[in-house]
Amino acid sequence: MSTFEQAGRRRATPPPRTIRPGSDGEHLVQQLTGTTERADKFYAEQVLDRLNTRMREFVARQEMFFLATADRRGECDNTFRAGPPGFLHVLDDRTLAYPEYRGNGVQASLGNIGENPHVGLLMMDFLQDRIGLHVNGTARVVDDGEMRGAHAGLTYDPVPGRRARVWVLVTVEEAYVHCAKHIPHLQKAPRRDSGRAWGTDDFKRKGGDFFGAAAEAPERGPFLPPPRADAATWRAQAEKVLARAEQRSAEAGEQAFGGWFRRSATA
């Protein structure tokens, strides 16, 4: 085969993509609002099933992102994650990982991921390029020791309170741009104190009662949550959650997270 023929084979047109990204709901709304052709152009040109080189470079310099999760009933939660540049690790073009630091103890995101692995990450660059990146995919929780055993290049952060308790490993299913036209252009303010209070439990340094919710608590009546289940009942419920997670992991050929408790034949 000639060099010209070899080059022609390398440049052969790939097979057509016949599956439209997105949900049935968004496709229906596109039809109702007359935006199907515009949406299909966006799907064709901008929606990837992996992170290309520029996306990986963009992720590697981000200091924050927004995280959307939902539980098994579809009840949603949206939260914010931050760290030094590179805290959201690009392991390869289909895999991201980020550490979970000490927080308020609610564990809403990790709890949702345990019930429903689908997640959405939104990274916004307000300072330099004024552009955003969406990453949708599935997530699983990984013990810190397991994560470092699989990825020896991960460093320990020396800042107290910024050490990973567990990691979230995200398998990329969709990656696409968030357009710039409505993103404000911001500037970093000069540091006014000794730095971020990573991991602190100090009420004021965590934001205090900024929105006045605690001050209004007496107006809402006393908080009397129902008693928590006894240890045996809790373990039975936790075993069910773990079993579902193990089934999903087995189907995906992965190891399920078991760091919060271990199965015990005598329990």
Side-chain angles (χ1 to χ4, degrees):
M1 181 182 294
S2 69
T3 303
F4 180 80
E5 289 173 326
Q6 291 175 348
R9 290 190 65 177
R10 285 197 299 269
R11 299 191 187 110
T13 303
R17 292 170 286 160
T18 59
I19 298 177
R20 176 181 281 119
S23 68
D24 293 340
E26 69 185 67
H27 302 155
L28 176 60
V29 174
Q30 291 161 13
Q31 291 179 339
L32 294 174
T33 57
T35 66
T36 298
E37 290 186 4
R38 185 149 42 104
D40 280 350
K41 178 177 173 59
F42 183 85
Y43 293 148
E45 295 180 354
Q46 295 296 335
V47 180
L48 309 183
D49 63 354
R50 67 190 68 201
L51 302 169
N52 66 16
T53 300
R54 291 188 180 183
M55 289 176 175
R56 296 195 295 274
E57 293 171 350
F58 181 86
V59 172
R61 66 174 185 264
Q62 298 310 304
E63 298 180 60
M64 62 181 182
F65 67 90
F66 301 93
L67 172 68
T69 60
D71 64 18
R72 66 181 182 275
R73 295 180 295 272
E75 300 289 340
C76 298
D77 180 75
N78 189 274
T79 191
F80 174 78
R81 291 289 182 268
F87 85 106
L88 178 57
H89 295 259
V90 181
L91 301 181
D92 56 52
D93 63 353
R94 291 181 181 271
T95 315
L96 298 175
Y98 66 89
E100 280 286 347
Y101 302 132
R102 178 180 174 83
N104 58 15
V106 174
Q107 312 289 6
S109 299
L110 295 180
N112 284 348
I113 291 170
E115 296 187 14
N116 176 355
H118 297 283
V119 297
L121 283 65
L122 174 60
M123 288 153 267
M124 300 292 283
D125 184 344
F126 299 100
L127 306 176
Q128 180 177 328
D129 298 311
R130 205 169 56 84
I131 202 75
L133 175 65
H134 293 263
V135 174
N136 298 328
T138 57
R140 67 184 182 98
V141 183
V142 180
D143 181 75
D144 183 60
E146 177 189 342
M147 187 70 182
R148 295 185 185 280
H151 303 280
L154 297 177
T155 59
Y156 286 92
D157 198 308
V159 179
R162 206 166 65 194
R163 295 185 175 91
R165 301 201 161 205
V166 294
W167 292 76
V168 175
L169 201 64
V170 179
T171 299
V172 177
E173 295 178 348
E174 293 181 340
Y176 55 90
V177 68
H178 186 101
C179 69
K181 63 181 179 181
H182 297 305
I183 298 177
H185 196 177
L186 307 180
Q187 292 182 339
K188 272 191 175 182
R191 181 177 291 179
R192 293 179 295 179
D193 54 24
S194 59
R196 297 171 178 170
W198 294 97
T200 184
D201 284 324
D202 182 271
F203 180 71
K204 290 184 178 180
R205 299 200 76 185
K206 289 170 64 176
D209 190 25
F210 184 86
F211 292 104
E216 296 170 355
E219 302 172 14
R220 300 193 294 273
F223 178 56
L224 299 174
R228 294 181 183 270
D230 57 51
T233 302
W234 178 86
R235 177 169 285 276
Q237 294 172 343
E239 289 278 2
K240 293 179 181 179
V241 173
L242 181 59
R244 289 196 296 269
E246 288 178 339
Q247 181 178 359
R248 287 197 304 266
S249 297
E251 292 171 352
E254 300 171 340
Q255 180 181 352
F257 173 70
W260 287 307
F261 73 97
R262 303 289 182 183
R263 292 183 184 275
S264 171
T266 60

